[in-house]
Amino acid sequence: MTQFFIAAILSIAGFCFSVTAHSQRESGTEQLRQFVRNSKTAEGDFVQQQLRAPKANEPQDKGLKVVRQTQGHFVFQRPGRFVWDTQKPYEQKLIADGKQLILWDKDLNQASFRPAGQALASTPAAILFGETSLDQHFDLIEGEERLGMMWVSLMPKKDPNAKDKNDLPYTKIAIGMANGLPKALKLTDGLGSVVLVTVDKIQLNVALPANRFVFTPPAGAEVLRLN
C-alpha cells in the first residue's frame, strides 16, 4: 500500500473516533446499515483513484501506483437516483434517474443512455448510494479498523433465479466507515487493479429539487441509445 494511498485517506478522513474503547464503538456493519437506512438524500465531494500494481520493469517496493485521479461532487436520492459529477481533470456526469443510466461527456459533446441494470450496479456511486437494503444483495463482513475507519467487506449474494448471470467486475468490495458515514470505498478486480473512492463534506437528508436527476442533452449533442 503506497504512502500516497495512505495520505489520501488520512487527508479526507481527518479524524478518528473520540471514544477509544473498542467495545463502546458501533461496528462498521452497524454504521453502514444505519447510514443506508437513515439517509434518504445526501450530497458531498469525492476523489476517485485508479490504482495498479507495478509492472515487471518497475520498482516493486512502491506498492500500488496511481494511474488516474478524478474529483468532483455527488448527489443521491434513494432508491436508485444519483449524479456523479466529475469536475477535474475533465467534466463528465454519470446520472441515474431511476430507470436509466446516462453518461454525459462535455468534451465529446456526447450523451449515452442505457437501461439501469448491471451497468448501474457496478458503478462506485451505486454501491455506495443505490441500495435501500444492502443485506438483500450483499453479505456484510466486519473487517479491521484502519486509518480511523471501521472497514466492512461486501460479498455479493448469488441469486440462482437471476436472468443476468454476470457477476460484478470486482473480486473485493470494502467500505470504510467513521462516525456513521462512509469515508472510503475500495474496489479490487480480478487483475489486481484497484478503484479507491474517498468522500468528504457529506450532508445528509438535504432538500433536492424535483428535476435534480433529469438530464436533457444540449442542442447539437450526439445522443447514443445503448442496450
Side-chain angles (χ1 to χ4, degrees):
M1 188 176 295
T2 63
Q3 292 180 346
F4 189 100
F5 171 76
I6 295 174
I9 293 185
L10 286 175
S11 64
I12 291 182
F15 60 90
C16 60
F17 292 122
S18 59
V19 180
T20 58
H22 180 76
S23 61
Q24 292 179 299
R25 301 174 187 168
E26 288 184 327
S27 68
T29 54
E30 183 56 30
Q31 289 187 59
L32 181 56
R33 287 188 176 106
Q34 288 189 18
F35 170 75
V36 172
R37 185 165 57 244
N38 297 331
S39 59
K40 307 304 181 185
T41 66
E43 62 180 317
D45 297 332
F46 72 86
V47 174
Q48 181 170 325
Q49 296 174 320
Q50 183 75 39
L51 311 171
R52 66 163 174 80
K55 297 180 180 179
N57 60 347
E58 295 177 337
Q60 300 295 305
D61 60 347
K62 300 293 185 180
L64 295 175
K65 179 181 179 181
V66 179
V67 295
R68 184 182 299 113
Q69 176 171 308
T70 59
Q71 63 188 74
H73 190 78
F74 67 83
V75 180
F76 77 82
Q77 181 180 55
R78 301 188 196 278
R81 292 177 171 84
F82 64 77
V83 177
W84 193 255
D85 186 4
T86 299
Q87 299 165 350
K88 295 180 181 180
Y90 49 78
E91 294 186 44
Q92 193 178 76
K93 293 180 187 290
L94 186 65
I95 305 152
D97 64 6
K99 296 181 180 179
Q100 56 191 349
L101 187 66
I102 307 160
L103 176 62
W104 163 246
D105 191 307
K106 182 178 180 180
D107 291 341
L108 296 178
N109 195 28
Q110 181 186 86
S112 61
F113 293 73
R114 68 181 65 205
Q118 189 67 22
L120 171 63
S122 64
T123 64
I127 293 172
L128 276 172
F129 312 129
E131 297 291 351
T132 54
S133 177
L134 279 178
D135 291 284
Q136 182 178 350
H137 300 284
F138 296 96
D139 291 318
L140 306 185
I141 302 172
E142 191 71 26
E144 62 182 354
E145 179 183 358
R146 289 186 290 113
L147 306 174
M149 290 175 282
M150 308 292 288
W151 286 85
V152 182
S153 294
L154 279 63
M155 299 295 294
K157 292 182 177 180
K158 303 292 184 180
D159 183 358
N161 299 317
K163 295 181 180 179
D164 187 353
K165 299 297 183 180
N166 293 327
D167 293 327
L168 291 175
Y170 311 113
T171 58
K172 296 179 181 178
I173 303 172
I175 296 178
M177 300 294 299
N179 282 4
L181 296 173
K183 289 294 179 178
L185 171 67
K186 185 179 179 183
L187 307 170
T188 306
D189 68 18
L191 300 177
S193 296
V194 173
V195 173
L196 173 68
V197 180
T198 47
V199 295
D200 191 28
K201 299 179 182 177
I202 299 179
Q203 301 179 60
L204 296 180
N205 298 321
V206 294
L208 298 174
N211 64 349
R212 186 64 178 86
F213 306 96
V214 175
F215 177 78
T216 302
E222 180 184 10
V223 177
L224 303 176
R225 303 286 178 177
L226 308 173
N227 295 324

mmCIF file of all heavy atoms in Angstrom, residues 187-221:
data_model
loop_
_atom_site.group_PDB
_atom_site.id
_atom_site.type_symbol
_atom_site.label_atom_id
_atom_site.label_comp_id
_atom_site.label_asym_id
_atom_site.label_seq_id
_atom_site.Cartn_x
_atom_site.Cartn_y
_atom_site.Cartn_z
ATOM 1 N N LEU A 187 -12.472 -0.946 -4.356
ATOM 2 C CA LEU A 187 -12.927 -1.985 -5.270
ATOM 3 C C LEU A 187 -11.717 -2.616 -5.936
ATOM 4 O O LEU A 187 -10.886 -1.910 -6.525
ATOM 5 C CB LEU A 187 -13.850 -1.391 -6.343
ATOM 6 C CG LEU A 187 -15.041 -0.566 -5.845
ATOM 7 C CD1 LEU A 187 -15.701 0.159 -7.005
ATOM 8 C CD2 LEU A 187 -16.037 -1.452 -5.128
ATOM 9 N N THR A 188 -11.612 -3.945 -5.891
ATOM 10 C CA THR A 188 -10.497 -4.668 -6.492
ATOM 11 C C THR A 188 -11.036 -5.637 -7.530
ATOM 12 O O THR A 188 -11.974 -6.397 -7.253
ATOM 13 C CB THR A 188 -9.707 -5.448 -5.425
ATOM 14 O OG1 THR A 188 -9.304 -4.555 -4.381
ATOM 15 C CG2 THR A 188 -8.469 -6.098 -6.027
ATOM 16 N N ASP A 189 -10.445 -5.614 -8.739
ATOM 17 C CA ASP A 189 -10.904 -6.542 -9.775
ATOM 18 C C ASP A 189 -10.007 -7.775 -9.838
ATOM 19 O O ASP A 189 -9.044 -7.905 -9.076
ATOM 20 C CB ASP A 189 -11.007 -5.848 -11.138
ATOM 21 C CG ASP A 189 -9.651 -5.438 -11.712
ATOM 22 O OD1 ASP A 189 -8.614 -5.957 -11.267
ATOM 23 O OD2 ASP A 189 -9.637 -4.581 -12.621
ATOM 24 N N GLY A 190 -10.316 -8.682 -10.750
ATOM 25 C CA GLY A 190 -9.597 -9.949 -10.824
ATOM 26 C C GLY A 190 -8.153 -9.821 -11.253
ATOM 27 O O GLY A 190 -7.363 -10.750 -11.058
ATOM 28 N N LEU A 191 -7.775 -8.689 -11.840
ATOM 29 C CA LEU A 191 -6.399 -8.457 -12.278
ATOM 30 C C LEU A 191 -5.579 -7.710 -11.237
ATOM 31 O O LEU A 191 -4.407 -7.412 -11.472
ATOM 32 C CB LEU A 191 -6.397 -7.679 -13.603
ATOM 33 C CG LEU A 191 -7.100 -8.354 -14.782
ATOM 34 C CD1 LEU A 191 -7.095 -7.439 -16.000
ATOM 35 C CD2 LEU A 191 -6.448 -9.690 -15.103
ATOM 36 N N GLY A 192 -6.188 -7.408 -10.107
ATOM 37 C CA GLY A 192 -5.475 -6.714 -9.044
ATOM 38 C C GLY A 192 -5.537 -5.204 -9.122
ATOM 39 O O GLY A 192 -4.968 -4.514 -8.268
ATOM 40 N N SER A 193 -6.225 -4.674 -10.145
ATOM 41 C CA SER A 193 -6.411 -3.220 -10.211
ATOM 42 C C SER A 193 -7.399 -2.777 -9.133
ATOM 43 O O SER A 193 -8.329 -3.513 -8.787
ATOM 44 C CB SER A 193 -6.924 -2.808 -11.597
ATOM 45 O OG SER A 193 -5.966 -3.096 -12.597
ATOM 46 N N VAL A 194 -7.194 -1.581 -8.625
ATOM 47 C CA VAL A 194 -7.996 -1.083 -7.508
ATOM 48 C C VAL A 194 -8.592 0.272 -7.867
ATOM 49 O O VAL A 194 -7.912 1.136 -8.435
ATOM 50 C CB VAL A 194 -7.136 -0.946 -6.235
ATOM 51 C CG1 VAL A 194 -7.924 -0.277 -5.109
ATOM 52 C CG2 VAL A 194 -6.627 -2.307 -5.788
ATOM 53 N N VAL A 195 -9.872 0.442 -7.569
ATOM 54 C CA VAL A 195 -10.509 1.755 -7.599
ATOM 55 C C VAL A 195 -10.716 2.172 -6.149
ATOM 56 O O VAL A 195 -11.361 1.457 -5.372
ATOM 57 C CB VAL A 195 -11.854 1.726 -8.345
ATOM 58 C CG1 VAL A 195 -12.564 3.069 -8.204
ATOM 59 C CG2 VAL A 195 -11.648 1.390 -9.817
ATOM 60 N N LEU A 196 -10.160 3.312 -5.787
ATOM 61 C CA LEU A 196 -10.317 3.856 -4.441
ATOM 62 C C LEU A 196 -11.093 5.152 -4.523
ATOM 63 O O LEU A 196 -10.690 6.083 -5.227
ATOM 64 C CB LEU A 196 -8.952 4.105 -3.795
ATOM 65 C CG LEU A 196 -8.995 4.843 -2.441
ATOM 66 C CD1 LEU A 196 -9.635 3.967 -1.378
ATOM 67 C CD2 LEU A 196 -7.604 5.286 -2.023
ATOM 68 N N VAL A 197 -12.217 5.210 -3.832
ATOM 69 C CA VAL A 197 -13.040 6.417 -3.782
ATOM 70 C C VAL A 197 -13.068 6.906 -2.344
ATOM 71 O O VAL A 197 -13.413 6.145 -1.437
ATOM 72 C CB VAL A 197 -14.478 6.151 -4.270
ATOM 73 C CG1 VAL A 197 -15.305 7.430 -4.199
ATOM 74 C CG2 VAL A 197 -14.474 5.584 -5.684
ATOM 75 N N THR A 198 -12.685 8.153 -2.132
ATOM 76 C CA THR A 198 -12.816 8.759 -0.806
ATOM 77 C C THR A 198 -13.837 9.889 -0.899
ATOM 78 O O THR A 198 -13.883 10.622 -1.901
ATOM 79 C CB THR A 198 -11.465 9.307 -0.302
ATOM 80 O OG1 THR A 198 -10.836 10.075 -1.330
ATOM 81 C CG2 THR A 198 -10.547 8.163 0.088
ATOM 82 N N VAL A 199 -14.684 10.011 0.112
ATOM 83 C CA VAL A 199 -15.754 11.007 0.098
ATOM 84 C C VAL A 199 -15.634 11.914 1.311
ATOM 85 O O VAL A 199 -15.128 11.520 2.360
ATOM 86 C CB VAL A 199 -17.147 10.343 0.039
ATOM 87 C CG1 VAL A 199 -17.328 9.604 -1.267
ATOM 88 C CG2 VAL A 199 -17.346 9.391 1.203
ATOM 89 N N ASP A 200 -16.114 13.142 1.156
ATOM 90 C CA ASP A 200 -15.930 14.158 2.184
ATOM 91 C C ASP A 200 -17.076 15.154 2.113
ATOM 92 O O ASP A 200 -17.797 15.230 1.110
ATOM 93 C CB ASP A 200 -14.586 14.860 1.952
ATOM 94 C CG ASP A 200 -14.178 15.742 3.124
ATOM 95 O OD1 ASP A 200 -14.590 15.441 4.261
ATOM 96 O OD2 ASP A 200 -13.462 16.727 2.910
ATOM 97 N N LYS A 201 -17.239 15.912 3.198
ATOM 98 C CA LYS A 201 -18.226 17.002 3.276
ATOM 99 C C LYS A 201 -19.633 16.504 2.976
ATOM 100 O O LYS A 201 -20.414 17.160 2.281
ATOM 101 C CB LYS A 201 -17.843 18.140 2.327
ATOM 102 C CG LYS A 201 -16.492 18.767 2.632
ATOM 103 C CD LYS A 201 -16.151 19.873 1.650
ATOM 104 C CE LYS A 201 -14.779 20.464 1.947
ATOM 105 N NZ LYS A 201 -14.393 21.496 0.962
ATOM 106 N N ILE A 202 -19.978 15.330 3.519
ATOM 107 C CA ILE A 202 -21.294 14.754 3.277
ATOM 108 C C ILE A 202 -22.360 15.495 4.086
ATOM 109 O O ILE A 202 -22.219 15.688 5.285
ATOM 110 C CB ILE A 202 -21.315 13.265 3.636
ATOM 111 C CG1 ILE A 202 -20.308 12.487 2.784
ATOM 112 C CG2 ILE A 202 -22.708 12.685 3.436
ATOM 113 C CD1 ILE A 202 -20.255 11.014 3.113
ATOM 114 N N GLN A 203 -23.413 15.897 3.408
ATOM 115 C CA GLN A 203 -24.593 16.479 4.060
ATOM 116 C C GLN A 203 -25.760 15.525 3.840
ATOM 117 O O GLN A 203 -26.087 15.194 2.701
ATOM 118 C CB GLN A 203 -24.921 17.843 3.458
ATOM 119 C CG GLN A 203 -23.803 18.869 3.579
ATOM 120 C CD GLN A 203 -24.187 20.187 2.944
ATOM 121 O OE1 GLN A 203 -25.169 20.829 3.338
ATOM 122 N NE2 GLN A 203 -23.442 20.597 1.937
ATOM 123 N N LEU A 204 -26.378 15.107 4.938
ATOM 124 C CA LEU A 204 -27.435 14.112 4.855
ATOM 125 C C LEU A 204 -28.816 14.749 4.795
ATOM 126 O O LEU A 204 -29.072 15.804 5.378
ATOM 127 C CB LEU A 204 -27.367 13.183 6.074
ATOM 128 C CG LEU A 204 -26.122 12.307 6.224
ATOM 129 C CD1 LEU A 204 -26.233 11.457 7.473
ATOM 130 C CD2 LEU A 204 -25.900 11.451 4.993
ATOM 131 N N ASN A 205 -29.710 14.061 4.087
ATOM 132 C CA ASN A 205 -31.134 14.394 4.029
ATOM 133 C C ASN A 205 -31.366 15.859 3.662
ATOM 134 O O ASN A 205 -32.126 16.577 4.313
ATOM 135 C CB ASN A 205 -31.800 14.029 5.354
ATOM 136 C CG ASN A 205 -31.721 12.541 5.628
ATOM 137 O OD1 ASN A 205 -31.867 11.723 4.728
ATOM 138 N ND2 ASN A 205 -31.449 12.163 6.868
ATOM 139 N N VAL A 206 -30.687 16.272 2.593
ATOM 140 C CA VAL A 206 -30.841 17.628 2.080
ATOM 141 C C VAL A 206 -32.065 17.684 1.169
ATOM 142 O O VAL A 206 -32.468 16.688 0.567
ATOM 143 C CB VAL A 206 -29.580 18.054 1.295
ATOM 144 C CG1 VAL A 206 -28.392 18.165 2.228
ATOM 145 C CG2 VAL A 206 -29.265 17.066 0.169
ATOM 146 N N ALA A 207 -32.681 18.860 1.088
ATOM 147 C CA ALA A 207 -33.823 19.054 0.193
ATOM 148 C C ALA A 207 -33.308 19.182 -1.239
ATOM 149 O O ALA A 207 -32.393 19.957 -1.519
ATOM 150 C CB ALA A 207 -34.591 20.309 0.591
ATOM 151 N N LEU A 208 -33.891 18.402 -2.151
ATOM 152 C CA LEU A 208 -33.461 18.414 -3.546
ATOM 153 C C LEU A 208 -34.629 18.790 -4.443
ATOM 154 O O LEU A 208 -35.760 18.356 -4.215
ATOM 155 C CB LEU A 208 -32.938 17.032 -3.952
ATOM 156 C CG LEU A 208 -31.711 16.510 -3.193
ATOM 157 C CD1 LEU A 208 -31.409 15.081 -3.617
ATOM 158 C CD2 LEU A 208 -30.501 17.404 -3.427
ATOM 159 N N PRO A 209 -34.381 19.593 -5.480
ATOM 160 C CA PRO A 209 -35.459 19.933 -6.413
ATOM 161 C C PRO A 209 -35.913 18.699 -7.182
ATOM 162 O O PRO A 209 -35.155 17.741 -7.379
ATOM 163 C CB PRO A 209 -34.804 20.957 -7.348
ATOM 164 C CG PRO A 209 -33.334 20.703 -7.244
ATOM 165 C CD PRO A 209 -33.097 20.229 -5.839
ATOM 166 N N ALA A 210 -37.134 18.716 -7.648
ATOM 167 C CA ALA A 210 -37.718 17.557 -8.315
ATOM 168 C C ALA A 210 -36.974 17.189 -9.594
ATOM 169 O O ALA A 210 -36.961 16.021 -9.994
ATOM 170 C CB ALA A 210 -39.193 17.824 -8.633
ATOM 171 N N ASN A 211 -36.346 18.164 -10.230
ATOM 172 C CA ASN A 211 -35.667 17.904 -11.508
ATOM 173 C C ASN A 211 -34.171 17.672 -11.340
ATOM 174 O O ASN A 211 -33.430 17.731 -12.322
ATOM 175 C CB ASN A 211 -35.897 19.062 -12.470
ATOM 176 C CG ASN A 211 -35.274 20.368 -11.968
ATOM 177 O OD1 ASN A 211 -34.844 20.468 -10.804
ATOM 178 N ND2 ASN A 211 -35.226 21.375 -12.823
ATOM 179 N N ARG A 212 -33.712 17.399 -10.120
ATOM 180 C CA ARG A 212 -32.271 17.288 -9.884
ATOM 181 C C ARG A 212 -31.642 16.147 -10.682
ATOM 182 O O ARG A 212 -30.460 16.220 -11.043
ATOM 183 C CB ARG A 212 -32.000 17.070 -8.382
ATOM 184 C CG ARG A 212 -30.511 17.085 -8.016
ATOM 185 C CD ARG A 212 -29.914 18.451 -8.299
ATOM 186 N NE ARG A 212 -28.508 18.532 -7.936
ATOM 187 C CZ ARG A 212 -27.502 18.168 -8.746
ATOM 188 N NH1 ARG A 212 -27.779 17.658 -9.942
ATOM 189 N NH2 ARG A 212 -26.256 18.297 -8.356
ATOM 190 N N PHE A 213 -32.396 15.101 -10.984
ATOM 191 C CA PHE A 213 -31.843 13.940 -11.664
ATOM 192 C C PHE A 213 -32.344 13.822 -13.098
ATOM 193 O O PHE A 213 -32.242 12.763 -13.722
ATOM 194 C CB PHE A 213 -32.159 12.669 -10.869
ATOM 195 C CG PHE A 213 -31.699 12.759 -9.437
ATOM 196 C CD1 PHE A 213 -32.570 13.140 -8.425
ATOM 197 C CD2 PHE A 213 -30.382 12.502 -9.104
ATOM 198 C CE1 PHE A 213 -32.141 13.245 -7.111
ATOM 199 C CE2 PHE A 213 -29.933 12.605 -7.800
ATOM 200 C CZ PHE A 213 -30.814 12.980 -6.798
ATOM 201 N N VAL A 214 -32.885 14.925 -13.614
ATOM 202 C CA VAL A 214 -33.337 14.982 -15.005
ATOM 203 C C VAL A 214 -32.209 15.575 -15.850
ATOM 204 O O VAL A 214 -31.629 16.596 -15.503
ATOM 205 C CB VAL A 214 -34.603 15.843 -15.144
ATOM 206 C CG1 VAL A 214 -34.996 15.988 -16.611
ATOM 207 C CG2 VAL A 214 -35.744 15.235 -14.343
ATOM 208 N N PHE A 215 -31.890 14.901 -16.952
ATOM 209 C CA PHE A 215 -30.848 15.408 -17.843
ATOM 210 C C PHE A 215 -31.367 15.481 -19.263
ATOM 211 O O PHE A 215 -31.900 14.503 -19.799
ATOM 212 C CB PHE A 215 -29.608 14.512 -17.806
ATOM 213 C CG PHE A 215 -28.532 14.956 -18.759
ATOM 214 C CD1 PHE A 215 -27.703 16.020 -18.448
ATOM 215 C CD2 PHE A 215 -28.367 14.315 -19.983
ATOM 216 C CE1 PHE A 215 -26.720 16.440 -19.330
ATOM 217 C CE2 PHE A 215 -27.385 14.725 -20.878
ATOM 218 C CZ PHE A 215 -26.560 15.793 -20.548
ATOM 219 N N THR A 216 -31.221 16.650 -19.880
ATOM 220 C CA THR A 216 -31.582 16.858 -21.282
ATOM 221 C C THR A 216 -30.332 17.265 -22.037
ATOM 222 O O THR A 216 -29.714 18.275 -21.702
ATOM 223 C CB THR A 216 -32.647 17.958 -21.422
ATOM 224 O OG1 THR A 216 -33.811 17.595 -20.659
ATOM 225 C CG2 THR A 216 -33.028 18.145 -22.878
ATOM 226 N N PRO A 217 -29.907 16.480 -23.020
ATOM 227 C CA PRO A 217 -28.707 16.841 -23.778
ATOM 228 C C PRO A 217 -28.856 18.197 -24.441
ATOM 229 O O PRO A 217 -29.953 18.551 -24.932
ATOM 230 C CB PRO A 217 -28.583 15.718 -24.820
ATOM 231 C CG PRO A 217 -29.390 14.592 -24.268
ATOM 232 C CD PRO A 217 -30.508 15.228 -23.497
ATOM 233 N N PRO A 218 -27.799 18.989 -24.468
ATOM 234 C CA PRO A 218 -27.887 20.287 -25.148
ATOM 235 C C PRO A 218 -28.081 20.117 -26.654
ATOM 236 O O PRO A 218 -27.767 19.063 -27.221
ATOM 237 C CB PRO A 218 -26.549 20.937 -24.821
ATOM 238 C CG PRO A 218 -25.623 19.809 -24.496
ATOM 239 C CD PRO A 218 -26.479 18.764 -23.872
ATOM 240 N N ALA A 219 -28.577 21.154 -27.297
ATOM 241 C CA ALA A 219 -28.788 21.117 -28.727
ATOM 242 C C ALA A 219 -27.463 20.858 -29.455
ATOM 243 O O ALA A 219 -26.428 21.414 -29.098
ATOM 244 C CB ALA A 219 -29.382 22.448 -29.217
ATOM 245 N N GLY A 220 -27.498 19.947 -30.413
ATOM 246 C CA GLY A 220 -26.308 19.633 -31.185
ATOM 247 C C GLY A 220 -25.467 18.510 -30.611
ATOM 248 O O GLY A 220 -24.492 18.075 -31.257
ATOM 249 N N ALA A 221 -25.809 18.017 -29.421
ATOM 250 C CA ALA A 221 -25.033 16.941 -28.824
ATOM 251 C C ALA A 221 -25.328 15.618 -29.518
ATOM 252 O O ALA A 221 -26.445 15.380 -29.987
ATOM 253 C CB ALA A 221 -25.354 16.823 -27.338
#
